[in-house]
Amino acid sequence: MEISSVAELKRLIKDTIDPEICQELINLAYSEDSSFADYMFMESDVFFDDDNNFVPDVMIVCNPDIIKHKGIFGTPDLVVEILSPSTARNDKIRKKAAYEKYGVKEYWIVNPWAKNIEVYQGKDILAFPSGSNRTS
């Protein structure tokens, strides 16, 4: 799934999951007087080491020292992956394991079909909206 603009990301978030879950993040990230947007990246490379690099759909990096011209060289604070038929398995297994290993503080898996979001801190699941079908 390609996200080509901030407006498209906002629309996707609102259409995909319960707006209450993301409203505060949306307000903070996209307010005109917020510097928060300087730390949000869409489809940028993140390099954990020479053998492990990924391109998350969205990530937030609070440490400006790891933000380089060619990508993020270190661990993002928040990673969001939006599932698609071609990426779902990789996002839920391989990327999730790598994000846990390299210490991503929070990882969101957005499922557009089920209209839900799984929120992880390390191996712990923090949120999985009621009424959704958990298959993992």
Side-chain angles (χ1 to χ4, degrees), residues 48-109:
F48 293 115
D49 59 33
D50 290 339
D51 298 320
N52 291 285
N53 67 293
F54 299 95
V55 181
D57 292 319
V58 180
M59 68 180 139
I60 294 174
V61 178
C62 295
N63 178 357
D65 295 336
I66 66 172
I67 302 169
K68 308 295 182 195
H69 178 70
K70 291 187 176 187
I72 307 304
F73 288 80
T75 303
D77 295 277
L78 169 68
V79 172
V80 179
E81 295 288 2
I82 301 166
L83 300 182
S84 70
S86 63
T87 67
R89 181 173 170 80
N90 191 46
D91 291 343
K92 294 182 91 172
I93 297 172
R94 184 170 173 254
K95 284 184 174 184
K96 182 178 175 294
Y99 296 154
E100 286 175 14
K101 177 181 177 181
Y102 289 98
V104 171
K105 292 178 185 173
E106 195 160 309
Y107 177 42
W108 295 8
I109 300 175

Side-chain angles (χ1 to χ4, degrees), residues 2-129:
E2 277 191 44
I3 302 170
S4 59
S5 69
V6 171
E8 189 175 343
L9 176 63
K10 276 175 83 169
R11 181 200 52 76
L12 182 64
I13 289 173
K14 287 182 177 181
D15 290 349
T16 303
I17 60 175
D18 183 345
E20 292 177 20
I21 295 173
C22 287
Q23 192 61 49
E24 188 172 333
L25 176 61
I26 291 169
N27 289 343
L28 180 60
Y30 303 116
S31 66
E32 291 180 16
D33 60 343
S34 175
S35 62
F36 186 73
D38 294 339
Y39 300 99
M40 178 178 275
F41 300 88
M42 293 183 286
E43 297 188 352
S44 296
D45 289 300
V46 58
F47 299 90
F48 293 115
D49 59 33
D50 290 339
D51 298 320
N52 291 285
N53 67 293
F54 299 95
V55 181
D57 292 319
V58 180
M59 68 180 139
I60 294 174
V61 178
C62 295
N63 178 357
D65 295 336
I66 66 172
I67 302 169
K68 308 295 182 195
H69 178 70
K70 291 187 176 187
I72 307 304
F73 288 80
T75 303
D77 295 277
L78 169 68
V79 172
V80 179
E81 295 288 2
I82 301 166
L83 300 182
S84 70
S86 63
T87 67
R89 181 173 170 80
N90 191 46
D91 291 343
K92 294 182 91 172
I93 297 172
R94 184 170 173 254
K95 284 184 174 184
K96 182 178 175 294
Y99 296 154
E100 286 175 14
K101 177 181 177 181
Y102 289 98
V104 171
K105 292 178 185 173
E106 195 160 309
Y107 177 42
W108 295 8
I109 300 175
V110 178
N111 185 328
W113 307 283
K115 295 192 179 285
N116 67 25
I117 183 170
E118 294 177 36
V119 178
Y120 293 90
Q121 283 185 346
K123 293 181 181 181
D124 299 325
I125 189 163
L126 299 180
F128 198 96

